[in-house]
């Protein structure tokens, strides 16, 4: 049992199980957020891509404005705006191929819209006529996820399943700086790395979790540094530089697609609006701070680049704005209609086959509705808001 | 929403204000009381219940935590181990779920597993229930989970005065209390003098909110106003309903409830939580066990449907309303009497 | 413990073996069935229920995951989104708690929130209950939590044949099933021919395990043998007890249960789970609502005490045994008859 | 809103919120586990400390053997042995001062015993007469924790509370390699770093979580690398080198005490026994692998050092072994007595004041016991095992 009984067995060697594993150096993010716009690298950017991104950004900003306006008109229960974060939203959508999957958080309706989802369907959750307003399979967009970070393991599981089936599918999952503190963030990243699942995690670090600033959320050098502890690369990027975010995400998606495993991307950005229309941001941040970010607006950064490269003139700007206005007008019009409501839907999708118990409850509601209709036959259900 | 401090004279106050005042008074009286949670500091909580506490007591006493509910409750357990009295805020009912392991495996059992050496004088404030137009995961009624976990107290106020009194009692308790705050009553107001708070007989006592003789409505939290309204409306039908507000689900005040049911001979339990596996089953079973021969009819339940909480535009069809309560009263086999 | 494969002829098999066989057959028949959890691979699970699966189907089909229950269930949700049928193992009842947020907020609701577009054909296997001398956190009966969560099916076998049949049905179900495995019955044996498995009528049907006329014992899982023994013993007292094995807590087979109680006029519910807020409350309330005028006595409950699960040396005092069941039967107001 | 409306606002600057925070370099663990024994550094070690550690290791090994034997005699329900890991267990206990707190996992009864807890009390949980067998305040040892990683936030909260009260208290929390995958690990480390709580996290990487090897648990360069993502230093140490573990933990405890915040320590070690006596380790690992670790035994490593420094001769060894045998004999004797059992304890400590409901249930049990005693008066409760 001891050396005195086993002479010569003493070896000042490292513990046998110890093998230096991954080299941590390549996993570490750069010290500064990666930027493209305004740098020399921007010169190599594809003009078509930049203009496409520009159109998305302009429409995205307008979309945020219109959705916020709809809350004031009582047409949305609540709206968590991504104004100021459009570069991340748009780049996330555009970095994916058609067969890939997007896992948005509750703030990421714009990413879903940029991926092709009808904005009315994207806003169903926030209007309140149903939860998920779309068939996730149609555009391969998971339900907008409200419990923070809980969608991240879903993305890992889906990507893993696709790989097991031999399908060429990458999942991109979005989460906020606050969400990185949740246990589900940790477990998802760990599973992804162990399984080498084709997933990209995009953290939009917009400085706040509602009122809580990043400094109270983490003491890490950056959120991207969390990647090292899972054995995946961490990338830090200027989240308002749409070209940079698009490039970093596209790289990460390609790496995942090629079997290189997951990547964690932290995009540094800022939430220009309050947390939601119901929030009072003056309680926890100054106008001055917001102002400093006005000078780093994602649309402005891209416009400057495009202008310098003579890709943007007043007519392009006007055309994009007009397109944005059309989108907004259409959205407004359609959101101003009362959605069709059927209270019996409460019981339709709880189980594949309705249980006897739910049938009974459905009958009760049906009888109540019939009685009410008799009492006031002129009020169709859809209009009772 | 006004968040001005409540002054110490009888005036109109909302439930949120009374809760805020309870926290403030408890913190002022006892330096071991610490508030922690998401956005409880500068923001004052999303419902403003912790408004002003950070200014008055500093960040060490009222702490914005990282966004992690298991971490919040888990560190609160450690704080309680060291003799503090943490008051934890869960931002919404459904967002307490990540903390369930800490709750079930530690908070509820620590006293028992250490033979009393490590009590858990923790209060966990959970805004709960629907009726506020919240999107999914913002309107759950999760009291059944808490009731099924021995070692916890489960308390819920339905009035402004109880909000103050019960929260003070919860914080003063040497046992962990899950303090369920009915979201849709946060802005309900009442004349209330915090200087002489209406006597609240501590945790574990129900209150008879309306005396009656025909049948007993048993309810709590968000459904109390519904039951009071139903009781008024029932007089038109000739029913004189008694209304019992449980206030405390654990411990359960069998005495008050059974005394009422023995008097009236009929009972309807009303709550928002789903019916199947919800609190009403336990209450009905218990009443029936104890008062069987006093019952003229089976104890009935009016509850949320057995479905995930509906989207805002459909929630009114789900929530137990006055009509559904009256329908249940009508089914209490009155014909048997005549 | 032997873990030799079960052959396809009538022979003595343990419940663990029948479960193993169900997994094996399901995986062989349907390539979309994937098993994942802690130690389900080389070890075959701490109860050997997944024994041999990794050898037969490889690590991609039977996967040792990192040690994180929310991660296991959360990734299983993602796998189900992509069309797989994950079968998740939670190592012990209490260790499923970290996964409750995924369970309540996603597994149970995904179909509903997507209007049926994203079903969750997931099976979550949870060894549950006590009686095996387990130290703390190894003997919880957590079915009340699952029952209170709409969108889940909750199933538990009490016999070797049901273990096979119900697990096959659970895996085949397009809805999420919490499959509760009574730990202390893992090693219970019966003659069983997997080639012609005893007809199990799918999820949602109770089974009358003993016909009787005096009163009905309603039970499930680990308490079925106790009730069968009690029924035998009761003949000495002149009681001829019917025993109903629920098998499925959700959906609840009201028809079978109520038919029995209407026949016998008396009922006792028996389970290990704590009484207060436990499954028995719902069952008693439901029976009473539906069968009130057939009842000669209130429906009684024999359950675990309302305490955290006791340490091994004291658990026998906590667990409902034959005597406690008979005591309850004796309290069913027989004198009223004479 | 856009640059065309705000000429001159374009600045290709980093995002305003971005300040390079902590420098990650000092947080990174060394590439190899830190070792002392058999290296030049060992020459500087205090002889008294080494001999103290030696005594603890010898007794610790004997304790593990005795506890395992007690399972075979049916005196313990189960025993998770720390044989092979004694260096970590002992160093953890000895790195702390009296006022500090230890947060052990279910495997760490030896650490509790090394800190001064009566082994019978340490084993109560595993014998099964109660849960926690001791008053945690007496030796400042939190209850042995079975749900993995859940004790880590407790340690953070306690340390934080002590610091708020101005008390000089450090908490040391122990967890396994498997436990690092749990969300609670992540949340605890993050809270600790944000609060700069005086906590030391000791991960005993013993290669397995029951049957699951480290490679299926994480893809990280090392578990110590996880520290970077929280902004705390990570330290990697040879867990079988008791001098190294003691030094690293003592440093981390000192740092915490001085307000330097938390540290994550990964100790690379090996579980020589099966997971518990109920486990069959041959299902998932080879004898050959176990054998390689026999040559790296923590006791043998220290004995060699002591022998070379002429601090150890046969008489010291004999004396320590004798002390260990005395401890084992005493433990055996006391564990061979049936513990006193009172079934009414089931109801005593559920709440501070027994509820009416529990009083009623207690009465029922009391009546049952009285009836049983009447039926068989000769069988005292304590003997009914
Ligand atoms: C599990 C959980 N806890 C709490 C909340 C309530 N909540 C909604 S958004 C939010 C802040 C999120 O911050 P962050 O992750 O940074 O995302 P952002 O809002 O900045 O986009 C909180 C606390 C929630 N939705 N889910
Ligand atoms: C939350 C939780 N899940 C599962 C278990 C069951 N379990 C007990 S020990 C163990 C493995 C622990 O591995 P590790 O953390 O490496 O510690 P070690 O046993 O090696 O000391 C498991 C899965 C548990 N106790 N707690
Ligand atoms: Mg944020
Ligand atoms: Mg280990």
């Amino acid at each position: 049992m001891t050396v005195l009984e086993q002479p010569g067995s003493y070896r000042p060697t490292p513990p046998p199980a110890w093998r230096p594993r991954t080299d941590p150096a390549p996993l570490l993010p750069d010290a500064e957020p990666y930027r493209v716009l305004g740098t020399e690298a921007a010169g190599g950017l594809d003009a078509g891509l930049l203009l496409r991104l520009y159109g998305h950004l302009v429409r995205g900003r307008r979309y945020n404005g219109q959705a916020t306006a709809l809350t004031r008109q009582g047409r949305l229960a609540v709206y968590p705006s991504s104004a100021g974060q459009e570069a991340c939203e748009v780049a996330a959508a555009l970095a994916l191929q058609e067969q890939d999957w997007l896992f948005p958080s509750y703030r990421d309706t714009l990413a879903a819209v940029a991926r092709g989802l009808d904005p009315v369907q994207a806003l169903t959750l926030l209007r309140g006529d149903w939860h998920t307003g779309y068939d996730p399979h149609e555009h391969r967009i998971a339900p907008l996820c409200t419990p923070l970070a809980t969608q991240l393991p879903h993305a890992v599981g889906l990507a893993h399943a696709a790989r097991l089936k031999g399908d060429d599918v990458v999942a991109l999952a979005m989460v906020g700086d606050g969400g990185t503190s949740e246990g589900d963030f940790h477990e998802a990243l760990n599973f992804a790395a162990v399984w080498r699942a084709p997933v990209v995690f995009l953290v939009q670090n917009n400085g706040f979790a509602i009122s809580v600033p990043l400094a109270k959320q983490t003491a890490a050098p950056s959120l991207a540094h969390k990647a090292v502890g899972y054995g995946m690369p961490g990338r830090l990027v200027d989240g308002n530089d749409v070209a940079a975010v698009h490039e970093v995400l596209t790289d990460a998606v390609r790496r995942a697609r090629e079997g290189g495993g997951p990547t964690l991307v932290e995009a540094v950005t800022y939430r220009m609006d309050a947390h939601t229309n119901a929030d009072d941001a003056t309680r926890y941040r100054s106008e001055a701070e917001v102002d400093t970010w006005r000078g780093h607006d994602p649309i402005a950064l891209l416009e400057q680049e495009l202008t310098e490269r003579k890709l943007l003139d007043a007519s392009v700007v006007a055309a994009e704005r007009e397109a944005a206005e059309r989108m907004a007008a259409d959205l407004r019009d359609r959101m101003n209609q009362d959605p069709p409501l059927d209270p019996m839907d409460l019981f339709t999708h709880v189980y594949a086959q309705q249980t006897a118990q739910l049938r009974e409850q459905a009958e009760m509601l049906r009888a109540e509705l019939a009685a009410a209709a008799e009492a006031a036959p002129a009020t169709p259900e859809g209009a009772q808001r | 929403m006004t968040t001005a401090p409540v002054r110490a004279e009888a005036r109109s106050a909302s439930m949120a204000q009374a809760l805020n005042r309870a926290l403030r008074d408890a913190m002022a009286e006892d330096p071991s009381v610490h508030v922690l949670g998401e956005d409880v500091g500068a923001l004052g909580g999303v419902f403003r219940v912790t408004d002003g506490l950070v200014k008055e007591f500093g960040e060490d006493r009222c702490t914005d935590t990282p966004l992690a509910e298991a971490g919040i409750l888990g560190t609160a357990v450690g704080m309680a181990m060291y003799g503090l009295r943490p008051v934890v805020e869960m931002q919404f009912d459904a967002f307490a779920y990540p903390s369930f392991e800490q709750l079930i495996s530690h908070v509820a059992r620590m006293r028992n597993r250490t033979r009393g050496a490590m009590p858990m004088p923790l209060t966990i404030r959970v805004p709960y229930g629907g009726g506020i137009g919240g999107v999914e995961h913002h309107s759950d009624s999760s009291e059944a989970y808490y009731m099924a976990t021995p070692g916890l107290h489960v308390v819920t106020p339905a009035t402004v005065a109880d909000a103050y009194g019960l929260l003070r009692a919860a914080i003063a308790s040497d046992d962990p209390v899950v303090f369920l705050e009915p979201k849709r009553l946060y802005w309900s107001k009442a004349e209330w003098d915090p200087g002489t708070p209406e006597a609240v007989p501590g945790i574990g006592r129900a209150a008879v909110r309306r005396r009656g003789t025909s049948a007993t409505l048993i309810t709590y939290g968000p459904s109390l106003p519904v039951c009071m309204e139903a009781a008024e409306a029932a007089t038109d039908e000739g029913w004189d309903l008694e209304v019992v507000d449980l206030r405390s689900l654990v411990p359960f005040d069998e005495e008050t409830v059974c005394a009422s049911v023995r008097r009236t001979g009929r009972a309807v339990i009303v709550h928002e939580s789903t019916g199947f596996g919800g609190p009403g089953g336990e209450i009905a079973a218990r009443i029936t066990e104890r008062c069987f021969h006093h019952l003229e009819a089976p104890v009935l339940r009016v509850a949320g449907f057995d479905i995930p909480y509906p989207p805002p535009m459909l929630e009114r069809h789900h929530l137990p309303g006055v009509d559904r309560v009256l329908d249940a009263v009508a089914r209490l086999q009155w014909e048997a009497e005549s």
Side-chain angles (χ1 to χ4, degrees), chain A, chain B:
Chain A
M1 181 175 93
T2 66
V3 74
L4 296 185
E5 298 162 55
Q6 307 169 2
S9 76
Y10 179 60
R11 288 173 280 158
T13 50
W18 177 255
R19 293 165 220 100
R21 275 168 300 193
T22 343
D23 175 7
L27 308 181
L28 285 166
D30 297 336
E32 293 287 323
Y34 179 66
R35 278 174 291 138
V36 171
L37 298 179
T39 73
E40 282 185 18
L45 293 175
D46 175 62
L49 173 66
L50 287 185
L51 284 169
R52 235 177 105 222
L53 290 168
Y54 178 68
H56 271 289
L57 290 185
V58 171
R59 287 197 302 280
R61 177 67 50 89
R62 190 65 192 84
Y63 165 82
N64 272 318
Q66 182 58 62
T68 297
L70 286 166
T71 63
R72 285 192 293 269
Q73 292 148 27
R75 283 292 175 181
L76 282 183
V78 64
Y79 183 66
S81 167
S82 60
Q85 305 178 213
E86 289 93 348
C88 298
E89 299 284 318
V90 163
L94 271 62
L96 292 176
Q97 295 184 6
E98 212 182 315
Q99 74 278 18
D100 296 334
W101 273 78
L102 180 73
F103 283 77
S105 87
Y106 69 102
R107 193 179 296 289
D108 306 314
T109 54
L110 175 55
V113 168
R115 186 161 165 74
L117 185 64
D118 176 355
V120 172
Q121 291 185 359
L123 291 170
T124 298
L125 173 79
L126 305 164
R127 173 163 66 179
D129 52 311
W130 198 253
H131 308 295
T132 302
Y134 50 91
D135 177 348
H137 295 284
E138 197 178 330
H139 296 276
R140 288 151 307 285
I141 301 172
L144 296 161
C145 188
T146 296
L148 297 166
T150 57
Q151 75 277 26
L152 305 183
H154 305 171
V156 176
L158 182 137
H160 179 63
R163 215 193 38 161
L164 291 181
K165 284 198 176 180
D167 295 349
D168 168 25
V169 170
V170 174
L172 189 154
M174 303 174 76
V175 66
D177 47 310
T180 65
S181 296
E182 289 281 5
D184 275 12
F185 171 87
H186 175 69
E187 301 188 10
L189 267 75
N190 190 43
F191 274 66
V194 170
W195 287 350
R196 273 186 97 77
V199 196
V200 177
F201 301 99
L202 170 60
V203 178
Q204 287 189 61
N205 170 6
N206 63 5
F208 290 91
I210 308 188
S211 69
V212 180
L214 189 68
K216 291 186 181 173
Q217 201 65 249
T218 181
S222 79
L223 295 171
H225 277 85
K226 291 183 181 288
V228 185
Y230 305 103
M232 69 175 76
R235 295 290 168 254
L236 187 59
V237 61
D238 181 341
N240 287 14
D241 178 337
V242 70
V245 185
H246 185 265
E247 180 187 324
V248 168
L249 290 179
T250 304
D251 282 355
V253 167
R254 184 187 313 118
R255 220 183 128 258
R257 196 178 305 287
E258 290 167 357
T263 303
L264 172 65
V265 178
E266 172 186 355
V268 181
T269 181
Y270 197 78
R271 193 192 73 210
M272 298 303 287
D273 288 341
H275 168 64
T276 67
N277 54 297
D279 177 42
D280 173 8
T282 64
R283 284 180 166 251
Y284 53 82
R285 68 184 191 187
S286 66
E287 230 357 78
E289 178 180 310
V290 181
D291 262 341
T292 63
W293 280 91
R294 290 223 169 81
H296 199 69
D297 184 276
I299 302 182
L301 294 182
L302 182 55
E303 282 184 347
Q304 178 70 14
E305 185 74 41
L306 290 170
T307 306
E308 289 190 1
R309 287 179 63 188
K310 308 253 183 297
L311 293 168
L312 200 68
D313 58 23
S315 75
V316 177
V317 173
E320 290 300 356
R321 289 198 183 167
E322 209 187 297
E325 284 308 326
R326 272 198 309 276
M327 177 277 299
D330 176 61
L331 176 58
R332 202 166 48 231
D333 287 351
R334 290 160 64 214
M335 291 296 287
N336 274 328
Q337 290 158 29
D338 288 324
L341 290 176
D342 181 0
M344 301 314 293
D345 281 358
L346 294 183
F347 306 98
T348 313
H349 300 294
V350 182
Y351 295 103
Q353 272 137 36
Q354 206 166 65
T355 60
Q357 199 173 303
L358 286 183
R359 253 194 316 276
E360 201 175 275
Q361 295 175 18
E363 282 321 310
M364 178 182 130
L365 178 57
R366 199 190 305 280
E368 285 180 6
L369 293 170
E374 216 160 285
T379 318
E381 174 58 31
Q384 297 182 9
R385 298 198 59 237
Chain B
M1 186 191 142
T2 169
T3 49
V6 180
R7 299 264 162 265
E9 63 250 19
R11 38 158 288 176
S12 174
S14 70
M15 184 181 280
Q17 288 171 319
L19 293 167
N20 178 264
R21 178 61 184 250
L23 290 172
R24 205 130 45 90
D25 290 353
M27 291 175 85
E29 278 174 30
D30 181 352
S32 70
V33 176
H34 285 244
V35 167
L36 62 163
E38 296 157 6
D39 304 290
V40 296
L43 190 67
V46 295
F47 295 108
R48 302 293 185 270
V49 172
T50 59
D51 190 44
L53 299 181
V54 74
K55 257 189 222 137
E56 197 164 336
F57 302 101
E59 294 201 5
D60 284 350
R61 297 280 307 283
C62 177
T63 309
D64 275 335
T65 63
L67 209 166
E69 292 78 9
I72 296 169
L73 191 53
T75 52
V77 167
M79 292 165 76
M81 283 176 158
Y82 203 75
L84 300 186
R85 288 188 177 267
V87 181
V88 157
E89 175 172 308
M90 295 288 157
Q91 202 160 78
F92 282 86
D93 27 57
F95 307 142
Y97 301 154
S99 69
F100 268 20
E101 178 180 48
Q102 286 289 341
L103 185 80
I104 302 171
S105 294
H106 290 298
V107 173
R109 301 184 192 191
M110 194 65 82
R111 170 188 290 280
N112 186 63
R113 61 208 282 235
T114 60
R115 290 187 186 275
M118 274 201 155
M120 280 287 119
L122 252 166
T123 302
I124 305 168
R125 296 181 36 242
V126 185
Y128 82 119
I132 61 156
V135 301
E136 55 173 357
H137 313 292
H138 286 78
S139 298
D140 282 16
S141 290
S142 34
E143 53 268 37
Y145 303 126
Y146 302 116
M147 284 175 70
T149 307
L152 302 177
H153 289 312
V154 185
V155 166
T156 180
T159 69
V160 172
D162 270 9
Y164 181 88
L166 287 173
L167 185 50
R168 293 299 307 269
I171 297 171
S173 168
D174 285 335
D175 284 319
V177 180
V178 176
F179 191 85
L180 298 167
E181 301 175 359
K183 281 194 284 283
R184 59 172 155 142
L185 299 186
Y186 270 139
W187 302 280
S188 68
K189 293 209 161 196
E191 287 298 308
W192 171 63
D193 178 357
T196 55
E198 189 185 293
V200 179
I203 292 172
R205 303 302 297 169
V208 178
R209 296 294 181 194
R210 185 184 194 284
R211 291 268 162 201
T213 54
S214 317
T216 305
L217 301 181
I218 300 162
T219 191
Y220 56 86
S223 298
L224 178 63
V226 175
C227 288
M228 293 302 281
E229 202 186 322
E232 284 316 310
T235 57
D236 290 351
E237 317 276 332
W239 293 313
D240 178 21
L241 301 182
E242 181 142 318
V243 179
V244 175
D245 171 8
L246 292 174
R247 298 203 285 207
S248 166
L249 296 171
V250 183
F252 180 74
D253 184 357
E254 205 171 282
E255 206 181 307
T256 304
V257 170
C258 286
S260 172
V261 175
R262 287 200 189 98
R263 239 180 356 252
T264 62
R266 290 179 169 85
V268 176
I269 299 159
V270 183
H271 59 58
E272 268 187 47
S273 171
T274 52
F276 190 86
E282 177 60 42
I283 300 168
R286 198 156 276 270
I287 292 171
T288 309
E289 280 164 18
R290 314 283 159 139
C291 317
F292 188 65
H293 291 291
H294 295 84
L295 288 175
E296 307 287 343
V299 178
L300 296 183
R301 293 179 284 167
V302 176
F305 295 125
D306 299 329
I307 60 173
Y309 198 87
M313 286 188 185
L314 293 174
E315 67 179 337
R316 68 197 172 88
H317 298 293
H318 174 71
L319 292 170
V322 169
D323 289 347
R324 238 172 249 167
V325 173
L326 293 177
D327 284 353
V329 171
R331 281 185 286 119
L332 288 174
Q333 310 191 351
W334 302 96
E335 62 293 350
E337 259 189 0
S338 58

